[in-house]
Amino acid sequence: MSAAGQRWMARVAQLPCLVCEQMGLSQRGRTHVHHLFDTAHRSDTLVAPLCDDHHNGGNGFHTLGQREFQRRYKTDETHLLAETIRKLS
């Protein structure tokens, strides 16, 4: 991982969960840095902040899968990335 990637991920980890925030909820656990766009070569800059529950928990991206996550929360990884960049700009 590059130094720039480490710095970016550290900044993202300081943000609140985007799904909790969108829903007007108190965050459900600590922030995880979710790697977006499941590709063979993960980028440390294509990430978004998700809480325990919305990342790996029962209501999480990795539990529900991409389609159900999008349906349930009316958001997708492109929107999560755009919101992360907006918050850090």
Side-chain angles (χ1 to χ4, degrees), residues 5-86:
Q6 287 179 326
R7 286 191 303 274
W8 182 256
M9 287 179 51
R11 290 180 65 203
V12 170
Q14 297 303 310
L15 295 173
C17 173
L18 295 180
V19 175
C20 287
E21 192 172 72
Q22 172 183 303
M23 296 174 65
L25 301 171
S26 296
Q27 183 161 320
R28 304 173 186 179
R30 70 180 183 90
T31 298
H32 292 259
V33 177
H34 171 63
H35 284 85
L36 304 167
F37 314 113
D38 189 21
T39 64
H41 299 86
R42 283 189 168 178
S43 169
D44 292 325
T45 56
L46 298 177
V47 295
L50 295 176
C51 68
D52 290 324
D53 191 44
H54 290 122
H55 190 230
N56 291 315
N59 295 299
F61 185 91
H62 294 293
T63 303
L64 298 174
Q66 182 177 5
R67 284 191 181 154
E68 179 59 19
F69 186 89
Q70 286 177 209
R71 186 195 69 73
R72 184 176 293 188
Y73 301 117
K74 310 293 188 258
T75 194
D76 60 21
E77 290 184 300
T78 301
H79 179 264
L80 294 174
L81 178 60
E83 187 63 15
T84 300
I85 292 168
R86 186 190 69 76

